[in-house]
Amino acid sequence: MMGEATAAEARPRSQDLDLVGWLVEQLQERINAGEITAGTWLRQAHLAEQLGVSRTPVREALRRLQAMGAVEVIANRGARVRLPSTRDIIEVYELHGVLQGYAGAATAAFITSEQLERLAAAARLFRQVVEDLRTRTLGTAEVQRRWYEANTRFHMVIIEASGNRHLAEVVEGLHRKVPRNLTWIALGNDVRRLEKDAAEHAMILDAITRGDGAAARELLISHARHAGELLIRTVDEIGPGYSPQWR
């Protein structure tokens, strides 16, 4: 997690820069990475101190996150990270399938050798995560961090290589509705689930390497569908009474 000093050094110093926008990015990234989990209550005073700002921009950042669907404000209680509904997950992952499928087909045709190597490196990292979990070489938090890194790299390379300049922005908007880290919660410490996830990414890599756009599209659509189904089961298990901690 970003420390207070680091956050303070990294934040925009010019009044011309959008401090609230920076705060939104910081909080959204922590939510996506699982550093701030679904159901976490967000205390303005604590966040302001941690990020080295006053409460006013934090309050506005939470309002923006609420408008994006990442945070919900409960009357007389405050703001907390929103747990998506089943309908949210179904709709978001249907779009993920369409968008990632489109990107995969284009990537198979246009990917450069440098991009392909980065995609392969992310796929290797997935396999290493499985091995680390199986052998308990690393703690759960570090394994989660590496899986998040691999997943982010892999899918962002596909979006980048597709050549569509607007696709990344659209996909990021979907992650505000259903954070990336929820997929890790669904996979949990289940080695078999992680092996299946790593295998799906390996098949996508193979299709793109072969230049088979049709296969890449179908594999990415299937991958999104599997992730959505797993997330729905996980959210149903968590239930409506979630409230794990304060931040």
Side-chain angles (χ1 to χ4, degrees):
M1 183 181 298
M2 182 181 293
E4 294 178 20
T6 305
E9 292 169 1
R11 73 174 186 270
R13 295 183 180 278
S14 170
Q15 292 183 354
D16 295 330
L17 294 176
D18 185 358
L19 176 59
V20 174
W22 176 81
L23 289 170
V24 168
E25 291 178 2
Q26 291 293 307
L27 293 171
Q28 184 65 63
E29 177 59 24
R30 294 182 184 194
I31 291 168
N32 273 332
E35 295 176 10
I36 305 177
T37 57
T40 298
W41 291 96
L42 301 168
R43 295 183 298 175
Q44 293 179 20
H46 176 76
L47 291 173
E49 180 180 0
Q50 187 181 61
L51 294 165
V53 298
S54 68
R55 294 189 191 186
T56 300
V58 170
R59 186 181 306 114
E60 181 57 34
L62 292 176
R63 287 173 180 160
R64 286 195 193 179
L65 287 168
Q66 180 187 22
M68 294 173 181
V71 165
E72 60 183 347
V73 176
I74 310 297
N76 302 318
R77 298 193 66 185
R80 67 178 177 180
V81 179
R82 182 174 172 271
L83 184 71
S85 66
T86 297
R87 180 173 179 177
D88 288 331
I89 295 170
I90 291 171
E91 293 178 349
V92 164
Y93 274 83
E94 281 182 353
L95 289 173
H96 268 305
V98 172
L99 295 173
Q100 291 283 350
Y102 159 81
T107 292
F110 302 128
I111 193 167
T112 66
S113 58
E114 184 273 336
Q115 290 168 331
L116 186 59
E117 175 50 39
R118 283 193 280 133
L119 194 66
R124 290 193 296 270
L125 187 53
F126 276 116
R127 293 195 296 274
Q128 186 60 52
V129 166
V130 174
E131 186 61 24
D132 289 339
L133 187 61
R134 180 185 292 111
T135 60
R136 300 186 182 277
T137 304
L138 300 172
T140 302
E142 180 61 15
V143 171
Q144 177 182 352
R145 187 194 68 77
R146 292 192 180 196
W147 178 88
Y148 174 76
E149 179 182 352
N151 198 50
T152 301
R153 285 184 186 181
F154 189 91
H155 290 284
M156 289 309 296
V157 169
I158 291 174
I159 290 170
E160 173 193 323
S162 74
N164 190 311
R165 295 176 297 114
H166 304 285
L167 189 55
E169 183 179 351
V170 176
V171 171
E172 188 59 34
L174 295 179
H175 285 306
R176 295 190 186 105
K177 302 291 185 181
V178 182
R180 292 186 184 95
N181 82 288
L182 279 181
T183 308
W184 169 261
I185 293 173
L187 293 168
N189 292 324
D190 190 321
V191 173
R192 289 175 299 178
R193 286 181 178 178
L194 284 166
E195 284 177 337
K196 184 176 185 297
D197 187 68
E200 288 181 3
H201 285 96
M203 288 189 292
I204 293 166
L205 170 64
D206 179 65
I208 290 173
T209 301
R210 290 185 285 106
D212 190 340
R217 177 190 288 110
E218 292 306 312
L219 287 166
L220 279 156
I221 291 172
S222 176
H223 179 65
R225 184 175 63 251
H226 292 162
E229 290 169 351
L230 193 58
L231 275 177
I232 288 170
R233 291 198 296 271
T234 301
V235 169
D236 286 344
E237 290 171 3
I238 293 173
Y242 69 102
S243 183
Q245 60 184 314
W246 282 88
R247 284 298 287 262

